[in-house]
Amino acid sequence: MHFDLPTIWTILVTVLIAGYIVTDGFDLGVGILHTIVAKTDIERRVTINAIGPVWDGNEVWFITAGGAAFAAFPELYAALFSSLYIALFVVLLALIYRAVSFEFRSKEESEGWRKFWDQSIFWSSLIVALLIGVAVGNILAGIPIKNSAIEGEMLKGFVYAEKFPMSFINLVNPFTFHGLFGLLVGVTTVLFIILHGVSWLIWKTEGEVAERARNIALKVWPLFVIMYVVCTGIAYTISFKIKDPENVKYLNLPEDMLKEIASMLNNGVLEHALFRFPAIEFTLIVLAALSAVGYFFAVKNMNGAKAFLFSTLTFLFAGFAVMFGAYPLAVPSSYGLEHSISIYNGCSSNYTLTVMLVAAIIFTPIVIAYQAWVYKMFLFKISAESIKKEIEEARA
Amino acid sequence: MDGGFVLLVSRLQFAMTAFFHFLFVPLTLGLSTISAIMLTLYYTTNKEIYRDMAKFWAKLFAINFALGVATGLVHEFEFGMNWSVYSRFVGDIFGAPLAVEGLLAFFMESTFMGVYIFGWDKVPKAVHLLAAWLSSIGSNLSALWILIANGWMQHPVGAKVVEAAAGKRAELVDWWGIVFNPVADVKFWHTSTAGMVLSAVFVLSISAYHILKKQHVEFFKKSAYIALIFGFIASVGEIVIGDIHAHEVAKTQPTKLAAGEALWETKKGANILLVAWADEEKQENVIEIPLPIPGLLSFLAAHSFDAEIKGAKELQKQFEAQFGRGDYIPPVNFNFWAFHTMVYLGFYFVILFLLGLMKYKNLENSTGYLKMALYSLPLPYIACWLGWAFAEVGRQPWIVYPLTDDYGKFILPEIGLKTAQAVSPLTNVEVVITYVIFVLTFVGLAIADFYLLAKFATKGPEKETELY
């Protein structure tokens, strides 16, 4: 790895995305679990209040990750967002419905109203979790983009080569490689998000809600482990072809890195494209596995704080393994490696990256500090009894 | 403007998102501040009534907030989704303020709003008060950064155009230049005070409703008083800032000024028209009622009663000579009326607040005034929309208006990017699907939102703690 600005920004954007999954991940999980672990209206209010004061701030990680990707890797932002147009649109809809569902649900006594928003919370949380995974899977397996500059078009940048509806269907088409991989990573992500949500519910609530959550986790855990192994195995087989080695210069890689990749080429194919640093990656994968085991025992013992720590570590190790694997590619192209977006041809100018780095160094610790402080303030257990009491006190 | 179906629908979609975004956001700018003022009064005087006031108005703020965030998120995504050519061309510059907005403002706003709304009796008073103010400062900071981004599109300072690995693009050369872009900064003050005016009208109008119904009179009279003072200061400030803003537009976007004032011929000592209707084909006005102060437009735009103001016809020729064939004059009637109605409403708000302050002592018996206040509720929304419509339609056909110096001369013509060039290579089906579903969703959610706002606004203050 080179410690240049694009690399530092790759790490920063990864950290922001990780921040999103770690924070909003558990409230997405609670959103999925909420109709299952909570049977009565009061219990449902328990689950939603468990994330009430924090979900909004959590979602900002996503907005900031988006903003940072836009600023640091504008080519990537423009290409991905226009390529995954319909998929992202669905994510957006889900995020909108989720945000307003929390806000609207309890503002009206009617049972129909509350059931509608409960369903909305479930589906929107599920769709966001699933599609984030689908997007990651598709990107890792390579999506059909072309660099217009190679064809002499100087304004368009990276464009998606497939037209709607294939552009959407192929993301989840199990008969194409990247579609299948996308689906598998999507399902794995949903399972992870459920486990992560359980750890929060055990930490933050008590009584039947926490009990039911635990039983679900014990059932979901083996499925997650199997799926994670399957995804890692498939990721190991991914390779990319190179149509015209001459054009690899468009990746804009530093010279020694270009040489390194050239030496890994076999008949115009880059094999094990995501496992070019096997020692580091396998270490991270093993650490992820160990954390998953730690999670299992923590949940068994009803230790919410520990379970949360371990689900967070599982994701962080797995996530950083993926980042290392893809480096220095950001979005590999199934049209040939030369059409890919690397962190070098996709990034902003050094000046912009420097200015932003200064801002990030100053403000990220501040944000983390006050978010941690807020979490600490709201870390008291809630249960059906405590919610009932609060409502009665208010009415008295 | 020429260009295909995808362009048209993408523009409609963006305008629609902006429209809904501005149904929710201006209220968060000002109501957060008003509620924080009330909370400060409570913690300093210890009077229960201020506690209930802060709580009541914060609740309405919170209902609105979720949709403000949601529509803002859609905006951020739409840059990449529908305007990818734009996003990659300007990402080096435009992305930075968006990222800083998230890091600096958005986290602050959302995190501390959570503490404010859920922290009653759970966190120490000082922390609670700080949270109220930080969420208000956060919302306004967020407006600042987004307007720095928008201001750059209107007046792209601090940049150069280079050829990068994936093609031509604009790159940042002067960060503080874009932060202190005069167009951006005046835009921020204009928008932020607009949010304050809107929120003051909102509080005044709902208070008027209750006073008219003779319920919770003391509570709402006090609320109205705060709104009147707050609104009066904001609305007077708004007019002063509006004047500075118009002066900047005159310098940097001559076609916008010409369209907004329905000025076809270049004139020395140009007049302001009170009423105008143009025949845009023939390029002349069919109706013209000027304000009886000669040379006022020249004075406001260039600070001299006989300064020369360029008309649309000459500007069209000048742009064609520099940028090739095309239509460089934005729609005149639309811009004239968007701009002028906004200005007229701006003066109306000053009168509304001034009258209220004069009648305050006997407010509960001033039925006529209370009705006037009540029915004024939609007006600031309309003013905000029209202001944005003028800002955005007025700069067409450009998405990045070419950079001019203070005398309207282009100093970096190659940075100009036309809206038609900036759109993503999407299919008709894609844009139609998303457009229709977005419209239906936003309409539905806006109805739900206004239903809840109306429900809690008309219910009046209550003691219940905040729970989902």
Side-chain angles (χ1 to χ4, degrees):
Chain A
M1 271 190 138
H2 286 230
F3 274 93
D4 46 18
L5 281 165
T7 304
I8 292 171
W9 270 100
T10 307
I11 296 170
L12 278 176
V13 172
T14 312
V15 167
L16 285 172
I17 295 172
Y20 174 67
I21 303 283
V22 168
T23 58
D24 210 33
F26 73 76
D27 64 59
L28 281 171
V30 173
I32 298 173
L33 289 162
H34 133 98
T35 50
I36 307 164
V37 299
K39 305 289 182 200
T40 62
D41 183 57
I42 287 279
E43 282 178 356
R44 291 195 169 167
R45 292 178 82 154
V46 169
T47 58
I48 301 177
N49 275 286
I51 54 175
V54 291
W55 72 266
D56 207 348
N58 293 345
E59 210 152 84
V60 179
W61 286 95
F62 191 62
I63 299 174
T64 307
F70 194 173
F73 301 103
E75 303 286 350
L76 170 116
Y77 185 83
L80 264 190
F81 278 47
S82 57
S83 305
L84 308 179
Y85 188 76
I86 295 287
L88 271 172
F89 165 71
V90 176
V91 171
L92 264 182
L93 272 188
L95 285 174
I96 295 171
Y97 276 103
R98 224 172 86 83
V100 296
S101 302
F102 288 136
E103 206 50 63
F104 287 0
R105 183 191 179 277
S106 301
K107 298 269 185 307
E108 195 49 52
E109 293 287 339
S110 124
E111 203 183 323
W113 171 277
R114 291 192 173 182
K115 278 206 169 130
F116 175 82
W117 294 115
D118 280 339
Q119 286 300 314
S120 167
I121 290 172
F122 170 76
W123 285 105
S124 57
S125 304
L126 182 69
I127 287 171
V128 172
L130 181 71
L131 287 187
I132 287 175
V134 167
V136 170
N138 272 281
I139 291 167
L140 291 178
I143 60 175
I145 46 167
K146 280 198 231 173
N147 183 351
S148 314
I150 296 181
E151 278 144 20
E153 161 65 70
M154 292 312 281
L155 202 56
K156 291 239 160 83
F158 293 91
V159 291
Y160 201 62
E162 277 173 3
K163 284 288 169 208
F164 183 80
M166 287 321 283
S167 60
F168 178 60
I169 293 170
N170 274 354
L171 293 177
V172 288
N173 180 355
F175 301 106
T176 64
F177 180 72
H178 60 89
L180 176 69
F181 191 59
L183 262 186
L184 291 176
V185 177
V187 172
T188 314
T189 310
V190 170
L191 295 176
F192 167 76
I193 293 280
I194 291 174
L195 293 178
H196 197 42
V198 167
S199 68
W200 182 257
L201 283 179
I202 294 180
W203 194 3
K204 183 77 180 119
T205 69
E206 49 196 4
E208 278 193 54
V209 170
E211 280 292 335
R212 282 191 211 119
R214 169 179 177 264
N215 293 337
I216 288 174
L218 296 179
K219 279 181 205 140
V220 167
W221 187 84
L223 286 177
F224 167 72
V225 172
I226 294 169
M227 288 300 293
Y228 183 63
V229 172
V230 169
C231 288
T232 310
I234 294 179
Y236 189 74
T237 69
I238 292 173
S239 58
F240 295 106
K241 56 184 185 297
I242 296 180
K243 268 190 188 155
D244 186 352
E246 193 42 27
N247 283 340
V248 174
K249 65 169 194 272
Y250 284 102
L251 289 179
N252 224 11
L253 301 184
E255 210 137 289
D256 48 333
M257 204 183 281
L258 196 61
K259 272 189 201 144
E260 198 182 47
I261 287 185
S263 69
M264 292 178 182
L265 280 181
N266 202 350
N267 293 328
V269 176
L270 180 68
E271 284 169 349
H272 306 310
L274 300 180
F275 283 85
R276 281 172 299 108
F277 309 94
I280 302 174
E281 284 162 64
F282 283 122
T283 310
L284 287 167
I285 289 169
V286 168
L287 287 172
L290 289 177
S291 310
V293 173
Y295 173 86
F296 184 80
F297 287 108
V299 166
K300 240 187 159 174
N301 299 328
M302 285 301 267
N303 188 335
K306 252 194 192 157
F308 188 80
L309 173 72
F310 280 121
S311 55
T312 300
L313 287 177
T314 308
F315 170 74
L316 288 183
F317 287 129
F320 275 94
V322 171
M323 191 209 76
F324 262 100
Y327 182 86
L329 294 181
V331 184
S333 167
S334 54
Y335 260 75
L337 199 66
E338 66 270 35
H339 285 284
S340 306
I341 307 177
S342 75
I343 65 166
Y344 292 99
N345 68 9
C347 67
S348 284
S349 64
N350 273 344
Y351 179 61
T352 297
L353 293 178
T354 312
V355 168
M356 297 263 303
L357 187 59
V358 174
I361 287 173
I362 299 173
F363 291 106
T364 315
I366 298 179
V367 170
I368 293 176
Y370 66 60
Q371 279 217 331
W373 179 63
V374 168
Y375 270 89
K376 226 185 117 206
M377 257 184 315
F378 285 99
L379 255 187
F380 44 84
K381 289 245 185 202
I382 49 177
S383 61
E385 286 68 42
S386 71
I387 297 264
K388 267 186 209 149
K389 213 175 119 208
E390 218 171 311
I391 296 171
E392 274 156 21
E393 270 173 14
R395 290 207 174 126
Chain B
M1 192 161 53
D2 50 325
F5 184 72
V6 172
L7 174 69
L8 176 73
V9 181
S10 290
R11 288 186 67 195
L12 284 174
Q13 182 169 319
F14 204 84
M16 181 267 300
T17 317
F19 178 90
F20 278 104
H21 194 49
F22 251 68
L23 203 50
F24 310 112
V25 166
L27 193 62
T28 66
L29 296 178
L31 200 55
S32 56
T33 317
I34 293 178
S35 174
I37 291 173
M38 291 164 173
L39 190 71
T40 312
L41 287 173
Y42 168 56
Y43 284 138
T44 48
T45 65
N46 240 341
K47 284 186 185 151
E48 283 285 317
I49 189 166
Y50 289 120
R51 174 197 161 93
D52 296 344
M53 275 162 70
K55 214 171 203 178
F56 175 77
W57 296 107
K59 182 167 202 154
L60 298 182
F61 163 61
I63 294 172
N64 218 50
F65 182 75
L67 272 170
V69 176
T71 48
L73 187 64
V74 176
H75 257 324
E76 181 184 339
F77 274 47
E78 274 174 348
F79 289 122
M81 289 166 71
N82 291 71
W83 306 99
S84 60
V85 179
Y86 166 78
S87 291
R88 66 159 300 280
F89 183 70
V90 306
D92 194 68
I93 299 157
F94 190 79
L98 291 190
V100 174
E101 180 192 10
L103 204 55
L104 210 77
F106 226 55
F107 270 123
M108 190 195 276
E109 184 183 6
S110 315
T111 310
F112 289 104
M113 207 194 91
V115 178
Y116 180 28
I117 303 287
F118 289 90
W120 291 96
D121 307 322
K122 290 197 182 76
V123 300
K125 282 184 177 182
V127 171
H128 196 227
L129 185 60
L130 184 71
W133 279 107
L134 285 178
S135 62
S136 155
I137 293 169
S139 1
N140 284 285
L141 269 183
S142 136
L144 172 67
W145 287 102
I146 195 67
L147 290 169
I148 285 174
N150 181 277
W152 187 84
M153 298 164 84
Q154 313 272 358
H155 189 55
V157 291
K160 63 178 180 197
V161 177
V162 297
E163 283 199 4
K168 212 170 70 152
R169 72 176 191 192
E171 283 189 359
L172 183 62
V173 289
D174 176 13
W175 168 253
W176 295 112
I178 71 159
V179 173
F180 294 112
N181 179 357
V183 173
D185 298 339
V186 74
K187 242 185 161 49
F188 161 68
W189 288 110
H190 195 58
T191 309
S192 166
T193 37
M196 308 274 168
V197 173
L198 180 138
S199 307
V201 175
F202 182 86
V203 173
L204 179 65
S205 166
I206 290 171
S207 303
Y209 169 86
H210 288 280
I211 300 172
L212 276 169
K213 289 200 129 190
K214 308 217 179 303
Q215 53 197 23
H216 317 289
V217 171
E218 194 203 353
F219 181 95
F220 284 105
K221 218 182 143 183
K222 273 210 159 71
S223 296
Y225 190 51
I226 291 173
L228 284 170
I229 294 175
F230 190 78
F232 181 68
I233 298 169
S235 59
V236 172
E238 182 75 342
I239 287 175
V240 176
I241 295 156
D243 171 59
I244 303 171
H245 192 12
H247 180 64
E248 287 297 331
V249 167
K251 283 199 293 193
T252 56
Q253 295 181 324
T255 49
K256 186 187 275 181
L257 180 77
E261 291 293 351
L263 184 70
W264 293 102
E265 309 290 344
T266 300
K267 261 189 202 152
K268 273 192 175 172
N271 268 341
I272 280 188
L273 302 179
L274 268 179
V275 175
W277 190 259
D279 181 334
E280 297 189 31
E281 291 276 297
K282 284 191 187 155
Q283 302 200 321
E284 60 183 36
N285 291 337
V286 272
I287 305 170
E288 251 189 34
I289 304 175
L291 196 73
I293 306 172
L296 190 61
L297 177 58
S298 291
F299 180 74
L300 290 178
H303 293 176
S304 147
F305 279 102
D306 55 10
E308 185 183 88
I309 305 292
K310 280 196 177 150
K313 285 181 177 174
E314 188 184 333
L315 287 167
Q316 170 70 21
K317 277 192 199 125
Q318 187 194 329
F319 272 76
E320 280 203 352
Q322 185 132 19
F323 299 102
R325 286 176 62 89
D327 190 0
Y328 294 95
I329 305 303
V332 170
N333 286 326
F334 179 89
N335 283 299
F336 181 91
W337 282 105
F339 179 43
H340 282 246
T341 314
M342 174 189 75
V343 173
Y344 299 152
L345 284 172
F347 283 104
Y348 169 80
F349 298 134
V350 178
I351 296 168
L352 177 72
F353 293 122
L354 195 59
L355 269 179
L357 285 173
M358 280 156 49
K359 292 191 179 263
Y360 179 70
K361 283 215 168 117
N362 198 18
L363 197 61
E364 56 271 45
N365 299 320
S366 318
T367 316
Y369 177 76
L370 289 171
K371 279 189 179 155
M372 173 181 172
L374 175 63
Y375 295 123
S376 293
L377 184 58
L379 298 180
Y381 286 94
I382 293 171
C384 283
W385 284 329
L386 292 176
W388 271 110
F390 178 52
E392 303 298 290
V393 178
R395 81 177 128 105
Q396 300 304 326
W398 304 102
I399 191 164
V400 182
Y401 201 94
L403 184 67
T404 60
D405 62 14
D406 279 357
Y407 307 98
K409 288 246 176 328
F410 297 112
I411 39 183
L412 191 62
E414 66 269 30
I415 207 163
L417 184 71
K418 287 186 182 168
T419 313
Q421 296 173 295
V423 74
S424 295
L426 299 168
T427 57
N428 293 353
V429 189
E430 283 170 297
V431 290
V432 167
I433 291 176
T434 56
Y435 179 61
V436 171
I437 298 178
F438 268 140
V439 171
L440 294 177
T441 304
F442 284 153
V443 169
L445 293 179
I447 292 172
D449 188 79
F450 279 107
Y451 164 72
L452 289 177
L453 275 179
K455 177 182 157 182
F456 286 99
T458 52
K459 203 165 158 191
E462 51 174 337
K463 306 261 178 215
E464 199 167 322
T465 35
E466 192 61 40
L467 278 174
Y468 279 112

